[in-house]
Amino acid sequence: MRDALDATPYDALLLLSFGGPEGPDDVVPFLENVTRGRGIPKERLKEVGQHYFLFGGVSPINDQNRALLDALRKDFADHGLGLPIYWGNRNWAPYLTDTLREMVADGHRRILVLATSAYASYSGCRQYRENLADSLAALEAEGLELPSIDKLRHYFNHPGFVEPMVDGVIASLAELPEDVRDGAHIAFSTHSIPTASADTSGPAESHGEGGAYVAQHLEVARLIADAVRERTGVDHPWQLVYQSRSGAPHIPWLEPDICDHLEERHAAGVPAVVVAPIGFVSDHMEVLYDLDTEAKAKAEELGLPMRRSATVGADPRFAAAIRDLVLERAAAERGQEVTPCALGALGASHNLCPVGCCPARALKPAAAGADSPYA
């Protein structure tokens, strides 16, 4: 972690997340926000919303963001970093535009953004940047003075993100019956995306089969599997798998699906599985439904012992990693020489998204990148 607790030139941090409903009446309006412009009928949204209704119409993501805010504020205060932290969502209250308006009213003019997505992809990075541009355009139309906004780099391989997941996998292995533990397979799971989006994820030089999205997840899976082997003495087989597919069935998405993978591993004689949701910062709806409900039911149907390891959530090591990333970026903005903290062979991600990075499906302005219309 950095020694000098100097966040200048930044005067505030914005936690930017997806958002989620907090009651049954919120579910359809929330899904209308998520799918705006796609022409999806309300009746279809009610069908999609059944996942939320199973949990009382409440997504856990907002409470998890509140917990992360508390962890960040505690970490910053404990280390004497006097940087105020705000929270805004793309699709539900507190809405991003409202939060940025509040930050401007509070006098903040140089804002650093933490997105709750660790990897490169259109939906995990550029779409957040497009939302920032939309909000800045709204503030500009109101005649407000616009702040300068930068986004923290992808943190998929920061030790403060990886190490809590290593602990989670080891704890899940320990929960398995002893006679199947050493032979357990690890399924590292993340959100499936269209293969076309994966292939163009990351900077242009990373484009290709799977792009940066797949490469980054494979790197994290290797880091965790290697650490588990070093700490337990057992070399567990593993594979990167996908979940939460949506959209038209004729469009190719990343595979294999987690439930299909469980069937295949069971047929191959694997005695047990640990599912590690490395693509998610916290236990939000995709984890609770697609893993803890659907995948769990599939494993029980197969008679396959399965445990699901914990996401990072509000782990103090993750909060400390965000502090480190803030200080790293601030020092770089001041022109100081910085050694970024990153595990593995891929190294630290870029600070500024270049032109052509995770390109949009339709051309839209995006803030906090080399192509930003807001300097």
Side-chain angles (χ1 to χ4, degrees):
M1 301 304 165
R2 311 291 158 180
D3 295 325
L5 295 177
D6 184 2
T8 56
Y10 298 107
D11 56 26
L13 177 67
L14 168 62
L15 175 65
L16 177 55
S17 194
F18 192 82
E22 300 201 79
D25 292 341
D26 296 344
V27 172
V28 172
F30 162 73
L31 293 172
E32 287 175 333
N33 288 341
V34 174
T35 61
R36 193 174 305 282
R38 301 184 202 172
I40 299 177
K42 183 170 287 190
E43 291 307 311
R44 173 58 182 151
L45 294 179
K46 289 179 181 178
E47 293 175 17
V48 173
Q50 291 307 312
H51 295 183
Y52 292 96
F53 292 127
L54 284 174
F55 297 89
V58 179
S59 168
I61 193 170
N62 282 347
D63 277 346
Q64 289 161 3
N65 280 325
R66 292 182 183 103
L68 179 56
L69 280 170
D70 289 344
L72 290 170
R73 287 168 177 155
K74 181 180 187 304
D75 179 90
F76 284 19
D78 288 349
H79 292 85
L81 180 58
L83 193 69
I85 308 172
Y86 294 74
W87 169 35
N89 288 325
R90 286 168 45 181
N91 299 298
W92 201 249
Y95 288 102
L96 171 59
T97 301
D98 295 335
T99 300
L100 280 178
R101 187 183 296 111
E102 177 187 359
M103 296 176 82
V104 169
D106 289 347
H108 299 297
R109 296 296 181 268
R110 194 74 193 271
I111 296 169
L112 196 53
V113 174
L114 162 65
T116 54
S117 175
Y119 302 86
S121 70
Y122 171 77
S123 57
C125 184
R126 180 164 181 108
Q127 193 169 15
Y128 282 102
R129 295 176 48 225
E130 291 176 353
N131 296 142
L132 285 166
D134 289 342
S135 293
L136 289 173
L139 298 187
E140 187 175 38
E142 296 171 12
L144 297 178
E145 182 179 352
L146 298 187
S148 174
I149 293 180
D150 292 324
K151 179 179 173 292
L152 286 174
R153 65 177 173 87
H154 301 299
Y155 45 84
F156 64 94
N157 56 358
H158 194 289
F161 184 68
V162 175
E163 289 167 2
M165 292 190 290
V166 173
D167 288 349
V169 171
I170 290 174
S172 292
L173 286 166
E175 293 173 0
L176 288 169
E178 189 173 357
D179 60 332
V180 298
R181 187 179 304 151
D182 286 354
H185 170 85
I186 305 173
F188 293 105
S189 188
T190 190
H191 207 302
S192 184
I193 61 174
T195 56
S197 294
D199 293 347
T200 56
S201 57
E205 60 269 21
S206 299
H207 294 177
E209 188 174 355
Y213 186 76
V214 171
Q216 291 171 0
H217 281 88
L218 285 172
E219 179 79 339
V220 172
R222 289 188 194 100
L223 288 167
I224 295 172
D226 288 349
V228 169
R229 182 183 64 250
E230 290 169 6
R231 287 172 52 179
T232 66
V234 180
D235 191 7
H236 292 274
W238 61 269
Q239 186 170 337
L240 179 63
V241 301
Y242 302 93
Q243 61 177 90
S244 313
R245 185 206 156 112
S246 60
H250 68 279
I251 297 176
W253 283 54
L254 293 173
E255 295 178 338
D257 174 78
I258 176 61
C259 289
D260 294 339
H261 181 68
L262 291 176
E263 288 187 342
E264 187 272 332
R265 289 292 81 203
H266 177 257
V270 165
V273 173
V274 167
V275 178
I278 62 173
F280 306 90
V281 171
S282 61
D283 289 5
H284 49 72
M285 188 55 70
E286 283 83 354
V287 175
L288 289 187
Y289 184 79
D290 297 324
L291 297 184
D292 293 353
T293 305
E294 281 198 328
K296 180 182 178 182
K298 173 58 68 174
E300 290 175 349
E301 172 193 321
L302 296 169
L304 178 65
M306 183 193 110
R307 298 293 183 274
R308 196 268 290 174
S309 66
T311 52
V312 172
D315 190 288
R317 289 168 291 183
F318 183 47
I322 301 307
R323 168 169 43 88
D324 184 56
L325 290 168
V326 167
L327 298 174
E328 171 195 301
R329 182 62 182 271
E333 289 297 309
R334 295 194 302 269
Q336 295 176 225
E337 186 174 343
V338 175
T339 303
C341 188
L343 299 173
L346 293 182
S349 185
H350 48 266
N351 273 335
L352 187 69
C353 291
V355 175
C357 191
C358 302
R361 289 167 284 193
L363 188 61
K364 286 187 64 177
D371 55 354
S372 172
Y374 300 99

